[in-house]
Amino acid sequence: MAVAAGSQRPRRPLCAPGGSALLAAREWPRLPAQTQCRHGGRGSGRPLGSEGMLGLLEASVVLREGSLVALSKPPGLPILGCPGELSLAALLPALRRRLGLPVELHVVKAPASSRRATEQLQQFFADARRRGQYPATYHAVTIGVPSEAEGEIRTGLCWQQQGDTAMVVPVPAPGRRSLARKEVKSTLTRYRVLGAAGGCALLQLQPRTAFPEQLPVHLTLLLCPALGDHEYSSRVGRVLGVPFLLPPAATPTRTQVLDEDLLRRLGLSSQQLRNLPLHLHLQQLVLPQGPLCAPLPPHFLRTLQRLGLLEPVAELPPRSTPPLPPH
Protein backbone atom coordinates (compact mmCIF):
# COMPACT_ATOMS: atom_id res chain seq x y z
CA MET A 1 0.00 0.00 0.00
CA ALA A 2 1.61 3.28 -0.93
CA VAL A 3 0.04 6.55 -0.09
CA ALA A 4 0.55 9.37 -2.41
CA ALA A 5 -0.19 12.91 -1.52
CA GLY A 6 7.20 12.91 -1.30
CA SER A 7 10.38 13.31 -2.91
CA GLN A 8 13.60 11.44 -2.52
CA ARG A 9 16.58 10.59 -0.37
CA PRO A 10 20.19 10.25 -1.54
CA ARG A 11 21.88 7.07 -2.67
CA ARG A 12 19.17 4.48 -2.00
CA PRO A 13 15.60 3.66 -3.02
CA LEU A 14 13.19 4.40 -0.19
CA CYS A 15 11.13 1.46 0.93
CA ALA A 16 8.66 1.13 3.75
CA PRO A 17 10.57 -0.31 6.67
CA GLY A 18 10.62 1.19 10.09
CA GLY A 19 6.97 2.22 10.01
CA SER A 20 8.05 5.08 7.85
CA ALA A 21 4.69 5.62 6.29
CA LEU A 22 1.93 4.78 3.95
CA LEU A 23 4.00 2.22 2.12
CA ALA A 24 2.07 -0.89 2.87
CA ALA A 25 2.84 -4.43 1.73
CA ARG A 26 6.51 -3.64 1.78
CA GLU A 27 8.30 -6.10 -0.50
CA TRP A 28 11.90 -6.77 -1.36
CA PRO A 29 12.73 -3.74 -3.54
CA ARG A 30 13.89 -5.60 -6.62
CA LEU A 31 11.89 -5.85 -9.81
CA PRO A 32 12.57 -8.00 -12.89
CA ALA A 33 12.72 -4.87 -15.02
CA GLN A 34 14.58 -4.34 -18.26
CA THR A 35 16.82 -1.65 -16.80
CA GLN A 36 19.11 -2.99 -14.08
CA CYS A 37 21.33 -1.23 -11.55
CA ARG A 38 22.89 -2.14 -8.23
CA HIS A 39 19.51 -1.72 -6.52
CA GLY A 40 17.72 -3.16 -9.54
CA GLY A 41 15.99 -6.45 -10.18
CA ARG A 42 17.45 -9.89 -10.27
CA GLY A 43 14.33 -11.70 -11.32
CA SER A 44 14.20 -14.12 -14.21
CA GLY A 45 10.54 -13.66 -15.15
CA ARG A 46 9.21 -11.67 -18.06
CA PRO A 47 9.69 -7.93 -17.42
CA LEU A 48 6.56 -5.90 -16.82
CA GLY A 49 6.67 -2.60 -18.69
CA SER A 50 5.45 0.78 -17.54
CA GLU A 51 1.99 0.42 -19.10
CA GLY A 52 1.45 -2.95 -17.44
CA MET A 53 2.65 -1.63 -14.10
CA LEU A 54 0.40 1.44 -14.41
CA GLY A 55 -2.54 -0.88 -14.93
CA LEU A 56 -1.60 -2.78 -11.78
CA LEU A 57 -1.28 0.42 -9.79
CA GLU A 58 -4.61 1.73 -11.00
CA ALA A 59 -6.29 -1.54 -9.99
CA SER A 60 -4.53 -1.47 -6.61
CA VAL A 61 -6.07 1.76 -5.28
CA VAL A 62 -7.75 0.98 -1.97
CA LEU A 63 -8.60 4.50 -0.79
CA ARG A 64 -9.31 7.86 -2.43
CA GLU A 65 -10.34 10.58 -0.03
CA GLY A 66 -9.63 14.24 -0.70
CA SER A 67 -5.94 14.64 -1.43
CA LEU A 68 -5.14 11.14 -0.13
CA VAL A 69 -4.68 8.13 -2.40
CA ALA A 70 -3.68 4.75 -0.92
CA LEU A 71 -2.73 1.77 -3.03
CA SER A 72 -1.45 -1.75 -2.45
CA LYS A 73 2.01 -1.54 -4.01
CA PRO A 74 2.80 -4.45 -6.38
CA PRO A 75 5.49 -6.75 -4.95
CA GLY A 76 9.00 -5.83 -6.02
CA LEU A 77 8.28 -2.34 -7.31
CA PRO A 78 10.78 0.07 -5.67
CA ILE A 79 9.46 3.35 -4.32
CA LEU A 80 12.46 5.35 -5.58
CA GLY A 81 14.67 3.61 -8.09
CA CYS A 82 17.91 4.25 -9.91
CA PRO A 83 17.87 6.56 -12.96
CA GLY A 84 16.00 4.84 -15.77
CA GLU A 85 14.56 2.19 -13.47
CA LEU A 86 10.86 1.45 -13.21
CA SER A 87 9.70 2.79 -9.83
CA LEU A 88 6.60 4.12 -8.11
CA ALA A 89 7.98 7.67 -8.03
CA ALA A 90 8.68 7.58 -11.78
CA LEU A 91 5.14 6.35 -12.50
CA LEU A 92 3.28 8.85 -10.29
CA PRO A 93 2.77 11.53 -13.01
CA ALA A 94 1.24 8.99 -15.40
CA LEU A 95 -0.80 7.46 -12.57
CA ARG A 96 -2.17 10.89 -11.68
CA ARG A 97 -3.39 11.33 -15.25
CA ARG A 98 -4.96 7.87 -15.26
CA LEU A 99 -6.82 8.61 -12.04
CA GLY A 100 -7.93 12.01 -13.31
CA LEU A 101 -6.42 13.90 -10.40
CA PRO A 102 -5.89 17.65 -10.82
CA VAL A 103 -2.73 17.88 -8.69
CA GLU A 104 0.63 16.11 -8.51
CA LEU A 105 1.03 12.96 -6.42
CA HIS A 106 3.80 12.71 -3.83
CA VAL A 107 4.83 9.64 -1.84
CA VAL A 108 4.04 10.21 1.81
CA LYS A 109 7.03 10.06 4.14
CA ALA A 110 9.73 10.67 1.62
CA PRO A 111 12.49 12.57 3.42
CA ALA A 112 11.50 16.02 2.17
CA SER A 113 7.90 17.05 1.80
CA SER A 114 6.67 19.78 -0.44
CA ARG A 115 2.91 19.59 -0.16
CA ARG A 116 0.57 20.46 2.68
CA ALA A 117 -1.23 17.10 2.71
CA THR A 118 2.07 15.24 2.97
CA GLU A 119 3.25 17.48 5.78
CA GLN A 120 0.01 17.04 7.70
CA LEU A 121 0.20 13.25 7.51
CA GLN A 122 3.84 13.22 8.53
CA GLN A 123 3.01 15.45 11.48
CA PHE A 124 0.14 13.13 12.41
CA PHE A 125 2.52 10.15 12.58
CA ALA A 126 5.15 12.12 14.48
CA ASP A 127 2.58 13.29 17.06
CA ALA A 128 1.28 9.72 17.48
CA ARG A 129 4.76 8.38 18.19
CA ARG A 130 5.43 11.16 20.70
CA ARG A 131 2.28 10.10 22.52
CA GLY A 132 3.64 6.57 22.74
CA GLN A 133 1.28 5.16 20.10
CA TYR A 134 2.09 2.81 17.26
CA PRO A 135 0.31 3.86 14.05
CA ALA A 136 1.87 1.10 11.90
CA THR A 137 1.56 -2.66 12.37
CA TYR A 138 3.61 -5.08 10.28
CA HIS A 139 3.69 -8.85 9.89
CA ALA A 140 6.97 -10.66 9.21
CA VAL A 141 8.01 -14.25 8.64
CA THR A 142 11.36 -14.88 10.31
CA ILE A 143 14.06 -17.53 10.20
CA GLY A 144 14.33 -18.31 13.89
CA VAL A 145 12.01 -17.76 16.84
CA PRO A 146 12.64 -15.02 19.45
CA SER A 147 13.53 -16.31 22.91
CA GLU A 148 10.74 -14.17 24.41
CA ALA A 149 7.14 -14.25 23.16
CA GLU A 150 7.02 -10.45 23.09
CA GLY A 151 9.29 -7.56 23.84
CA GLU A 152 11.05 -4.50 22.47
CA ILE A 153 14.14 -3.90 20.37
CA ARG A 154 15.98 -0.68 21.22
CA THR A 155 19.14 0.51 19.50
CA GLY A 156 20.69 3.44 17.71
CA LEU A 157 20.82 3.24 13.92
CA CYS A 158 22.94 5.12 11.43
CA TRP A 159 24.01 5.01 7.80
CA GLN A 160 27.51 3.71 7.14
CA GLN A 161 29.35 3.57 3.84
CA GLN A 162 30.71 0.11 3.00
CA GLY A 163 32.54 0.27 -0.30
CA ASP A 164 30.14 1.79 -2.82
CA THR A 165 27.06 0.89 -0.79
CA ALA A 166 25.37 2.70 2.11
CA MET A 167 24.15 0.30 4.80
CA VAL A 168 22.19 0.77 8.01
CA VAL A 169 24.17 -0.41 11.05
CA PRO A 170 23.20 -0.62 14.75
CA VAL A 171 24.83 1.62 17.34
CA PRO A 172 24.05 -0.08 20.69
CA ALA A 173 25.09 2.86 22.92
CA PRO A 174 25.01 6.08 20.90
CA GLY A 175 26.60 9.14 22.48
CA ARG A 176 24.69 12.32 23.17
CA ARG A 177 26.70 14.27 20.61
CA SER A 178 26.01 11.82 17.79
CA LEU A 179 22.30 11.89 18.68
CA ALA A 180 22.25 15.69 18.87
CA ARG A 181 24.01 15.96 15.50
CA LYS A 182 21.51 13.42 14.14
CA GLU A 183 24.34 11.15 13.02
CA VAL A 184 22.58 8.37 14.94
CA LYS A 185 18.90 7.94 15.71
CA SER A 186 17.49 6.07 18.71
CA THR A 187 14.98 3.51 17.46
CA LEU A 188 12.39 1.23 19.05
CA THR A 189 10.25 -1.61 17.72
CA ARG A 190 7.73 -3.62 19.71
CA TYR A 191 7.33 -7.25 18.62
CA ARG A 192 5.02 -10.15 19.40
CA VAL A 193 5.22 -13.78 18.29
CA LEU A 194 1.93 -14.74 16.60
CA GLY A 195 2.97 -18.28 15.76
CA ALA A 196 6.00 -20.55 15.46
CA ALA A 197 6.69 -23.83 13.67
CA GLY A 198 9.79 -25.67 12.54
CA GLY A 199 12.23 -22.96 13.58
CA CYS A 200 10.33 -20.17 11.82
CA ALA A 201 7.95 -17.59 13.24
CA LEU A 202 5.26 -15.11 12.30
CA LEU A 203 5.81 -11.84 14.13
CA GLN A 204 3.76 -8.73 14.65
CA LEU A 205 5.99 -5.64 14.55
CA GLN A 206 5.04 -2.13 15.67
CA PRO A 207 7.78 0.45 15.14
CA ARG A 208 7.70 3.43 17.48
CA THR A 209 10.28 5.28 15.38
CA ALA A 210 10.85 5.70 11.66
CA PHE A 211 14.26 4.96 10.15
CA PRO A 212 15.07 3.39 6.75
CA GLU A 213 15.62 -0.38 7.03
CA GLN A 214 14.70 -0.26 10.73
CA LEU A 215 12.66 -3.46 10.81
CA PRO A 216 15.05 -5.77 8.88
CA VAL A 217 17.98 -4.55 10.99
CA HIS A 218 16.02 -4.92 14.25
CA LEU A 219 15.11 -8.48 13.29
CA THR A 220 18.79 -9.36 12.89
CA LEU A 221 19.36 -8.07 16.44
CA LEU A 222 16.69 -10.57 17.55
CA LEU A 223 18.77 -13.19 15.69
CA CYS A 224 15.66 -13.82 13.59
CA PRO A 225 16.18 -12.28 10.13
CA ALA A 226 13.16 -11.85 7.88
CA LEU A 227 12.60 -14.49 5.23
CA GLY A 228 13.78 -13.09 1.91
CA ASP A 229 16.13 -10.51 3.46
CA HIS A 230 19.04 -10.61 1.02
CA GLU A 231 20.64 -7.49 2.48
CA TYR A 232 20.97 -7.86 6.26
CA SER A 233 20.36 -11.55 7.03
CA SER A 234 24.06 -12.37 6.53
CA ARG A 235 24.72 -10.61 9.86
CA VAL A 236 23.23 -13.63 11.65
CA GLY A 237 25.60 -16.60 11.64
CA ARG A 238 25.11 -20.11 13.02
CA VAL A 239 27.39 -22.61 14.70
CA LEU A 240 25.88 -26.06 15.33
CA GLY A 241 22.46 -24.51 14.79
CA VAL A 242 22.95 -21.75 17.37
CA PRO A 243 22.55 -18.21 15.95
CA PHE A 244 24.95 -15.39 16.78
CA LEU A 245 25.45 -11.82 15.59
CA LEU A 246 28.27 -10.92 13.21
CA PRO A 247 29.69 -7.38 12.84
CA PRO A 248 28.28 -5.52 9.80
CA ALA A 249 31.76 -4.89 8.37
CA ALA A 250 32.32 -8.66 8.14
CA THR A 251 29.01 -9.43 6.43
CA PRO A 252 28.71 -8.29 2.82
CA THR A 253 25.30 -8.28 1.16
CA ARG A 254 24.41 -11.65 -0.34
CA THR A 255 21.45 -13.84 -1.23
CA GLN A 256 19.95 -15.26 1.95
CA VAL A 257 21.16 -18.76 2.85
CA LEU A 258 18.54 -21.33 3.92
CA ASP A 259 19.11 -24.94 4.93
CA GLU A 260 17.92 -27.82 2.77
CA ASP A 261 15.00 -28.69 5.04
CA LEU A 262 13.59 -25.17 4.91
CA LEU A 263 14.08 -24.99 1.14
CA ARG A 264 12.14 -28.23 0.81
CA ARG A 265 9.31 -26.94 3.00
CA LEU A 266 9.12 -23.75 0.94
CA GLY A 267 9.23 -25.71 -2.32
CA LEU A 268 12.28 -23.78 -3.53
CA SER A 269 15.61 -24.64 -5.09
CA SER A 270 18.80 -22.84 -4.06
CA GLN A 271 18.79 -21.18 -7.50
CA GLN A 272 15.35 -19.69 -6.82
CA LEU A 273 16.37 -18.08 -3.53
CA ARG A 274 17.56 -14.83 -5.09
CA ASN A 275 13.99 -14.15 -6.26
CA LEU A 276 12.42 -14.81 -2.85
CA PRO A 277 10.67 -11.57 -1.78
CA LEU A 278 11.09 -10.04 1.63
CA HIS A 279 8.31 -11.31 3.89
CA LEU A 280 7.60 -8.03 5.66
CA HIS A 281 4.11 -6.63 5.20
CA LEU A 282 2.48 -3.44 6.46
CA GLN A 283 -0.80 -4.88 7.65
CA GLN A 284 -2.42 -1.83 9.25
CA LEU A 285 -1.83 1.89 9.28
CA VAL A 286 -3.85 4.29 11.42
CA LEU A 287 -4.70 7.46 9.50
CA PRO A 288 -6.54 10.58 10.65
CA GLN A 289 -9.58 9.09 8.90
CA GLY A 290 -9.23 5.77 10.78
CA PRO A 291 -7.30 2.50 10.36
CA LEU A 292 -6.40 1.31 6.87
CA CYS A 293 -5.75 -2.42 6.55
CA ALA A 294 -4.02 -4.39 3.79
CA PRO A 295 -4.58 -8.15 3.46
CA LEU A 296 -1.57 -10.43 3.30
CA PRO A 297 -0.36 -10.86 -0.30
CA PRO A 298 -0.71 -14.29 -1.93
CA HIS A 299 2.99 -15.20 -1.72
CA PHE A 300 2.98 -14.40 2.02
CA LEU A 301 -0.07 -16.61 2.60
CA ARG A 302 1.50 -19.45 0.59
CA THR A 303 4.61 -19.25 2.77
CA LEU A 304 2.55 -19.34 5.98
CA GLN A 305 0.74 -22.41 4.69
CA ARG A 306 3.92 -24.21 3.68
CA LEU A 307 5.57 -23.46 7.03
CA GLY A 308 2.52 -24.47 9.07
CA LEU A 309 2.01 -20.98 10.50
CA LEU A 310 -1.63 -20.39 9.56
CA GLU A 311 -3.23 -22.19 12.55
CA PRO A 312 -1.24 -20.29 15.22
CA VAL A 313 -2.38 -17.03 13.64
CA ALA A 314 -6.02 -18.04 14.06
CA GLU A 315 -5.42 -19.03 17.68
CA LEU A 316 -3.48 -15.89 18.58
CA PRO A 317 -4.85 -12.78 16.84
CA PRO A 318 -2.67 -9.69 16.60
CA ARG A 319 -2.89 -7.25 19.46
CA SER A 320 -4.83 -4.22 18.36
CA THR A 321 -3.60 -0.67 18.72
CA PRO A 322 -5.96 1.86 20.34
CA PRO A 323 -7.39 4.36 17.87
CA LEU A 324 -5.43 7.56 17.56
CA PRO A 325 -7.20 10.77 18.52
CA PRO A 326 -8.05 13.19 15.69
CA HIS A 327 -5.16 15.37 14.58
Side-chain angles (χ1 to χ4, degrees):
M1 188 192 341
V3 175
S7 53
Q8 66 193 78
R9 61 162 286 109
R11 293 183 296 188
R12 296 174 59 84
L14 177 66
C15 305
S20 58
L22 303 175
L23 303 173
R26 192 263 190 183
E27 308 291 346
W28 182 241
R30 290 187 168 92
L31 181 72
Q34 293 171 332
T35 302
Q36 306 286 324
C37 62
R38 70 185 176 93
H39 292 298
R42 291 193 272 175
S44 56
R46 183 179 177 182
L48 189 61
S50 59
E51 283 300 313
M53 187 58 72
L54 279 170
L56 274 179
L57 290 173
E58 185 178 10
S60 300
V61 173
V62 295
L63 174 70
R64 285 183 64 174
E65 186 171 325
S67 58
L68 187 66
V69 176
L71 56 90
S72 184
K73 183 177 73 67
L77 179 68
I79 303 302
L80 298 175
C82 301
E85 184 183 17
L86 201 61
S87 68
L88 179 61
L91 293 171
L92 283 182
L95 180 63
R96 177 189 68 82
R97 292 191 292 271
R98 280 202 176 212
L99 297 178
L101 297 173
V103 295
E104 295 180 6
L105 288 174
H106 296 265
V107 177
V108 172
K109 212 54 180 180
S113 13
S114 57
R115 295 293 182 270
R116 187 171 173 229
T118 304
E119 292 171 350
Q120 288 177 337
L121 282 167
Q122 291 176 343
Q123 189 62 49
F124 175 79
F125 295 133
D127 291 344
R129 294 186 181 103
R130 277 195 292 269
R131 291 191 295 263
Q133 294 166 319
Y134 295 77
T137 298
Y138 290 78
H139 283 169
V141 177
T142 63
I143 308 303
V145 182
S147 57
E148 301 290 337
E150 57 184 292
E152 294 181 342
I153 309 149
R154 296 174 180 266
T155 189
L157 291 179
C158 73
W159 287 95
Q160 185 178 95
Q161 199 71 22
Q162 296 183 5
D164 63 349
T165 303
M167 302 288 289
V168 176
V169 299
V171 183
R176 291 183 181 179
R177 290 185 179 179
S178 61
L179 291 171
R181 292 194 296 262
K182 297 185 178 181
E183 298 168 349
V184 179
K185 180 172 181 176
S186 293
T187 59
L188 167 65
T189 300
R190 183 169 67 184
Y191 75 88
R192 185 186 186 206
V193 179
L194 301 180
C200 296
L202 174 65
L203 302 189
Q204 174 184 286
L205 302 171
Q206 292 180 305
R208 173 79 175 275
T209 53
F211 194 90
E213 313 294 341
Q214 176 175 319
L215 294 184
V217 175
H218 278 192
L219 288 174
T220 65
L221 298 178
L222 270 183
L223 301 178
C224 300
L227 180 66
D229 180 357
H230 306 296
E231 192 158 3
Y232 296 101
S233 63
S234 58
R235 297 180 184 180
V236 180
R238 288 183 179 272
V239 173
L240 300 177
V242 179
F244 65 96
L245 201 61
L246 290 163
T251 53
T253 297
R254 67 180 184 191
T255 300
Q256 189 174 44
V257 176
L258 304 180
D259 62 39
E260 291 298 325
D261 178 64
L262 184 52
L263 284 173
R264 178 183 54 79
R265 290 161 59 199
L266 291 171
L268 297 175
S269 68
S270 55
Q271 290 75 26
Q272 293 172 314
L273 263 179
R274 63 168 55 189
N275 299 321
L276 183 67
L278 182 68
H279 284 61
L280 179 60
H281 173 72
L282 179 47
Q283 184 265 334
Q284 178 178 282
L285 188 67
V286 180
L287 302 177
Q289 298 90 335
L292 180 64
C293 297
L296 293 172
H299 77 272
F300 202 115
L301 287 171
R302 284 195 299 270
T303 295
L304 294 181
Q305 185 174 28
R306 286 181 174 274
L307 296 179
L309 290 170
L310 284 178
E311 282 190 5
V313 178
E315 295 170 2
L316 186 58
R319 175 171 53 192
S320 61
T321 301
L324 301 181
H327 178 58

